[in-house]
Amino acid sequence: MKILIGGGTGFIGGALTRLLRSNGHEVGHISRRPGAGMTWTDLAEKGLPACDAVVNLSGENVLNPFRRWNAKFKEEVVSSRVGTTKRLRTAIVNAKNPPRVWVLVTGVGYYKPCLTAEYDEDSSGGDSDFFAQLVRDWEEAARLPEDKAQLVRQTIVRSGVVLGKEGGAIQQMIWPFWLGVGGAIGSGRQPFPWIHVEDVSGILAHALERDGVSGVLNGVAPTLNTNGEFALALAASLGRPAVLPLPGLAVEAVLGAERAAILLEGQRVVPRRTMASGYKYHYPDLRTALDNIVS
């Protein structure tokens, strides 16, 4: 297949690109940076190049601690997700020969944070807070008109926290643990929906390559964990203690209360449809995933 990836030069995009190329596919990228493939301006001016599948991974890092959580940054967060998705949707709709597959990666922030509720792909959401509404609008922006939807198979992957050696959440968390001063965030009781980068890229490849896969898939590991359990598992993998929790007030001071809720709250998310579609996890449990990452 000839596959075009929006945001394909980032952490997840790099892993997905390597996997797809190893599977014999031809991969191109759409990037903000000239020279890394076609740009978003190229897409708007020239339209969609001939391809069999399109994936959108684009999105500004919401938890960037160097950016203040204000109206300007919120606008960038929305534009980098909803805006790029609208551009790709428009290009697909206008293509003389549209791709056969259209895959979008969003997030489990669609579901309302809760200590006890368990969510699968059929659970309602999209209205509890800014991030839930963002995912709702993001996914709506990808929806194709009925005539195109009959020609293009569409899948949405709602990803959890992505863990891997070369980026993502681990890169920001690992140094306090290496120094022996790591610990849970806030109470540690909040759910921590996570997935290894090899599995999120595996689910995306699965969605691209399997004709029967469509609709929403939860991109999370099949085991349910709390933030406290994650902290203990990461410390154990590193051979370090996990004795100094990070107070919630400190997180709110750095990120702002609305954004800090991503870390201080969470959702218990299960990948029911993902597993039913036939996907087999490489790293189904937290300790195996973390041992791989820190090795």
Side-chain angles (χ1 to χ4, degrees), residues 210-235:
R210 293 281 294 269
D211 288 339
V213 178
S214 64
V216 176
L217 302 178
N218 282 334
V220 295
T223 53
L224 296 170
N225 296 102
T226 64
N227 181 271
E229 290 168 344
F230 167 77
L232 290 173
L234 178 56

Side-chain angles (χ1 to χ4, degrees), residues 70-91:
N70 53 26
K72 183 177 183 296
F73 186 45
K74 280 186 177 183
E75 185 178 335
E76 291 178 28
V77 167
V78 172
S79 176
S80 66
R81 289 164 170 78
V82 179
T84 58
T85 300
K86 284 182 176 178
R87 291 185 196 181
L88 280 168
R89 174 195 177 275
T90 298

